Amino acid sequence: MKSYLIVFLISMLPIIELRGALPYGVLFGLPTVPTYIICIIGNMIPVPFIYLFARRVLEWGKDKRLIGRICTFFLEKGEKGGRKLQASAGRGLFLALLLFVGIPLPGTGAWTGTLAASILKMDFKSSIIAVMLGVLLAGVLVALASNGLLGALSVLFR
């Protein structure tokens, strides 16, 4: 039970999220499906709060002496993600957000995607659904990679 709690908490962290929590759980011998489900829940819990409050908190904190640098870093990261999404998406912003969150690359994920959606003033419901689908996709890809299936497939198709 303690290992699942650790996985849950790791999946809630910015930058690390499900992409770090799921391999951690697999590495420590937890079954993949329950770990996947716990990671999805943990990764999604902060999403509505990020959408509703993160931008305001970061803008408030960017001038503060102790937290200004970190707030500025995350605000710039969200703005950069938003510009990337908007530039590549055109009118397909929902799909772009889903793929931005769902393809596990450095700098992408639920935190950055949700902050970008907030900065772009995307509809709340659409943003949450796109991020959720992206987290589910990222979870499948990370679970496959964590269990070595992608590596095994690459050997088959050489």
Side-chain angles (χ1 to χ4, degrees):
M1 191 67 175
K2 181 181 173 187
S3 296
Y4 284 116
L5 179 61
I6 292 169
V7 165
F8 177 76
L9 294 173
I10 291 171
S11 67
M12 293 178 74
L13 295 173
I15 301 170
I16 300 170
E17 303 182 29
L18 167 143
R19 298 140 195 250
L22 191 52
Y24 174 88
V26 170
L27 182 67
F28 285 95
L30 297 176
T32 303
V33 173
T35 304
Y36 171 81
I37 292 167
I38 288 169
C39 287
I40 297 294
I41 294 167
N43 205 171
M44 285 304 296
I45 285 176
V47 167
F49 300 102
I50 295 165
Y51 183 90
L52 296 171
F53 304 114
R55 181 178 178 192
R56 291 183 218 166
V57 170
L58 293 173
E59 286 175 350
W60 169 83
K62 71 181 181 182
D63 309 0
K64 306 301 182 258
R65 191 169 61 104
L66 294 175
I67 59 171
R69 293 175 79 192
I70 192 81
C71 288
T72 301
F73 169 79
F74 282 114
L75 196 55
E76 288 172 357
K77 189 168 182 58
E79 288 171 354
K80 183 180 176 186
R83 285 192 302 272
K84 262 183 164 175
L85 273 175
Q86 208 161 33
S88 66
R91 292 190 332 191
L93 200 52
F94 179 89
L95 182 59
L97 179 59
L98 186 158
L99 293 174
F100 181 83
V101 173
I103 298 174
L105 296 171
T108 66
W111 280 74
T112 307
T114 305
L115 184 56
S118 171
I119 288 169
L120 292 174
K121 295 180 172 63
M122 279 183 70
D123 173 57
F124 177 78
K125 184 179 176 182
S126 297
S127 300
I128 300 302
I129 293 170
V131 170
M132 177 65 168
L133 293 172
V135 168
L136 291 169
L137 173 61
V140 168
L141 295 174
V142 171
L144 289 173
S146 296
N147 287 293
L149 295 179
L150 292 178
L153 287 175
S154 70
V155 170
L156 289 174
F157 294 107
R158 280 189 190 183

